[in-house]
Amino acid sequence: MENTSFKEDLTRKSKNVPQECNNIEVDGPKEEQNKEISLVILKIPDGVPATEECALLNGEVQQTKSQTPSSSFCVVIKQKFACPPRGCLSLVVTNVIMVILVWAVVWSITGPECLPGGNLFGILALLFTAVLGGKCISLVKIPKLPPLPPLLGMLLAGFLIRNIPIITDQVQIQYKWSAALRNVALAIILARAGLGLDSKALRKLKAVCLRLSFGPCAVESCTAAVVSHFIMGLPITWGFMLGFVLGAVSPAVVVPSMLNLQKEGFGVDKGIPTLLMAAGSFDDILAITGFNTCLGMAFSTGSTINTIVRGVLEVVVGIAAGLLSGFFLQYFPSKDQINLKWKRSYLILALSLFAVFGSLYLGFPGSGGLCTLVMAFLAGIGWSTDKSVVEDVIAVSWDFFQPLLFGLIGAEISVASLKAETVGLCFATLIIALIIRICVSFLMVCFAGFNLKEKIFISLAWIPKATVQVG
């Protein structure tokens, strides 16, 4: 009985639907549409006005359209070239205007410096070209392989600028500016490395980190020195200089990769990203100190012992300055201040830059990087979970200087100044030293709780070389 009364009530209410609800019109030309309107009759409670019934029924209208391929193509063309522009066309126009405005503003201030052949013109041209190269290389998709890193496109952009004669004559960057920009990028990436270190994992892996910091770099440097002495005929002191240059790991390649792995959660349980960032950074400090010590021995007329003591002093000064700066950043600015993340970001970036450039000015080039690393690590411990917002700010600054860094590195390669025989001998020296380094790195992480794949990964992570060598 209840079902019968429900059906009768539903039929009665459907008949009482106002006439205007049945006269539903669909926008658009009638000749382009094939209208199929289905009304779903719902049970409407008593007392609901007819206008609400119309709205309910109108909401249930379903329209299906049948379009020819030509009409679909026309719709796509209209969307792509709409006026005013939208989508991809609007994005391209906006970016081009922004680039032109950057150049125009700098030109209006500096004048000839921002014209072809000027220093600022070269920097801007290299920056925009490197960004474009990174975007283009990221679009390349190779089946069954991960996407190519943008830094390859940035390197290629700098290489092309340097080795295409017409462009080379117009894009000129003074060495002083080039070195300064590379050091800025180095300071930023070392600050990111220090903030990204996990104190718990580092405390757990301190013995392995110590072995990885000194063992592979020292062995590779000695191997390169001996091989270059017998193959290339270099003096043994110059051979060690070459060895320490080759022994440095590129933090600009390793640190961002490890931060991405850490963000995704890969290897975090065993502290692999922290281990590689910390050991790689100390590896660079050792390489820089060793290179400057050998450089002083090669050209200095003083005592060799004084040169070695000076190298040790660089390490001590760097650690001491980093400790003082790190403890300062833990308490200043205080947590009750406004715009806390911006003040912290400014202070850590400013102190990092001052440490790198100040150490160069004072004649202690190895101290600046070590000071930056220790300072950022201690600051991150004091800020605890709040350091993530500072890391985001520093990551933005790295996104700006990364194209400049790798573009400048690519621009340092001049094909005209290379000889095939020299390239072959250098390549052989590099390969032999790398093979020895990989084997030593594998041995250094044995008996540390890593499985075979993790040991191989750690060993191969030391291959990248770029930033320190060019700097």
Side-chain angles (χ1 to χ4, degrees):
M1 294 295 294
E2 292 181 359
N3 293 336
T4 304
S5 61
F6 172 77
K7 292 180 180 179
E8 292 176 355
D9 185 61
L10 183 61
T11 304
R12 177 177 55 81
K13 290 183 179 295
S14 63
K15 291 180 179 180
N16 293 333
V17 174
Q19 182 66 26
E20 58 268 24
C21 294
N22 296 324
N23 299 329
I24 300 174
E25 295 183 0
V26 182
D27 295 336
K30 293 183 179 180
E31 60 272 9
E32 295 183 3
Q33 301 176 359
N34 182 17
K35 301 179 182 178
E36 294 181 1
I37 302 176
S38 60
L39 299 180
V40 179
I41 307 300
L42 301 177
K43 183 179 183 299
I44 305 173
D46 294 334
V48 177
T51 55
E52 292 188 15
E53 295 176 7
C54 293
L56 178 62
L57 293 175
N58 285 334
E60 297 295 333
V61 175
Q62 298 179 351
Q63 176 184 352
T64 60
K65 299 180 180 180
S66 60
Q67 296 180 342
T68 61
S70 60
S71 62
S72 300
F73 178 75
C74 293
V75 171
V76 173
I77 294 298
K78 289 180 180 179
Q79 291 177 350
K80 294 293 184 182
F81 299 96
C83 187
R86 290 178 294 178
C88 183
L89 180 60
S90 176
L91 179 63
V92 171
V93 172
T94 303
N95 290 339
V96 170
I97 295 299
M98 290 173 64
V99 170
I100 294 175
L101 281 176
V102 170
W103 173 84
V105 170
V106 178
W107 168 78
S108 64
I109 297 173
T110 61
E113 276 292 311
C114 208
L115 294 177
N119 188 58
L120 291 178
F121 177 83
I123 294 175
L124 291 176
L126 182 67
L127 172 63
F128 295 139
T129 307
V131 171
L132 182 61
K135 295 292 184 182
C136 292
I137 205 70
S138 62
L139 298 177
V140 178
K141 305 295 182 183
I142 302 177
K144 299 182 180 180
L145 288 178
L148 297 175
L151 62 89
L152 291 179
M154 300 171 189
L155 286 170
L156 182 60
F159 176 80
L160 293 177
I161 287 178
R162 178 63 183 273
N163 293 280
I164 298 178
I166 299 177
I167 300 178
T168 303
D169 297 336
Q170 304 300 324
V171 180
Q172 299 287 337
I173 302 176
Q174 298 176 8
Y175 175 77
K176 183 178 180 180
W177 281 80
S178 176
L181 291 172
R182 290 196 300 267
N183 284 322
V184 170
L186 179 62
I188 292 174
I189 200 61
L190 288 177
R192 289 192 70 190
L195 288 174
L197 296 179
D198 185 354
S199 58
K200 295 181 180 178
L202 193 60
R203 192 180 302 112
K204 177 183 177 182
L205 299 170
K206 55 182 180 294
V208 184
C209 181
L210 190 64
R211 295 200 299 265
L212 275 179
S213 300
F214 296 98
C217 180
V219 172
E220 183 180 10
S221 301
C222 294
T223 303
V226 173
V227 173
S228 62
H229 176 69
F230 288 102
I231 293 181
M232 304 175 65
L234 293 179
I236 194 65
T237 306
W238 286 80
F240 272 101
M241 289 171 60
L242 176 62
F244 281 114
V245 168
L246 296 179
V249 178
S250 174
V253 178
V254 175
V255 172
S257 302
M258 293 303 106
L259 289 175
N260 290 335
L261 290 179
Q262 187 170 269
K263 186 177 180 180
E264 297 294 332
F266 293 107
V268 176
D269 295 338
K270 294 186 177 181
I272 293 177
T274 292
L275 173 65
L276 289 174
M277 286 190 293
S281 301
F282 287 117
D283 175 281
D284 294 334
I285 304 303
L286 174 63
I288 294 173
T289 304
F291 173 80
N292 287 295
T293 302
C294 293
L295 184 65
M297 293 171 61
F299 292 98
S300 177
T301 57
S303 173
T304 303
I305 297 178
N306 292 336
T307 305
I308 297 175
V309 171
R310 184 181 181 85
V312 176
L313 186 61
E314 287 187 15
V315 177
V316 175
V317 170
I319 294 176
L323 290 173
L324 291 175
S325 304
F327 284 122
F328 171 80
L329 289 176
Q330 286 185 355
Y331 301 102
F332 299 95
S334 58
K335 294 183 178 180
D336 57 346
Q337 296 188 30
I338 60 174
N339 298 323
L340 185 60
K341 74 170 183 178
W342 297 109
K343 292 180 180 179
R344 284 176 171 175
S345 302
Y346 168 77
L347 284 175
I348 196 169
L349 283 175
L351 287 172
S352 299
L353 294 174
F354 177 71
V356 172
F357 286 98
S359 63
L360 291 174
Y361 180 80
L362 296 175
F364 295 94
S367 301
L370 184 57
C371 172
T372 300
L373 186 68
V374 174
M375 174 187 64
F377 175 62
L378 290 178
I381 293 177
W383 297 339
S384 186
T385 56
D386 295 335
K387 72 176 182 179
S388 59
V389 293
V390 179
E391 288 179 308
D392 294 338
V393 175
I394 297 180
V396 173
S397 62
W398 169 247
D399 291 338
F400 176 80
F401 279 96
Q402 183 188 25
L404 276 175
L405 173 64
F406 288 105
L408 289 169
I409 292 174
E412 291 294 327
I413 304 173
S414 177
V415 176
S417 61
L418 297 177
K419 297 181 180 179
E421 182 181 359
T422 304
V423 172
L425 294 175
C426 293
F427 185 74
T429 303
L430 176 63
I431 292 299
I432 294 173
L434 270 180
I435 292 175
I436 299 297
R437 182 187 183 111
I438 291 172
C439 296
V440 172
S441 300
F442 186 88
L443 294 176
M444 291 295 174
V445 294
C446 289
F447 309 105
F450 300 114
N451 57 40
L452 180 61
K453 292 182 179 180
E454 291 168 343
K455 293 176 184 177
I456 295 175
F457 174 78
I458 293 173
S459 303
L460 296 179
W462 298 95
I463 292 178
K465 302 178 185 298
T467 319
V468 179
Q469 285 79 2
V470 180

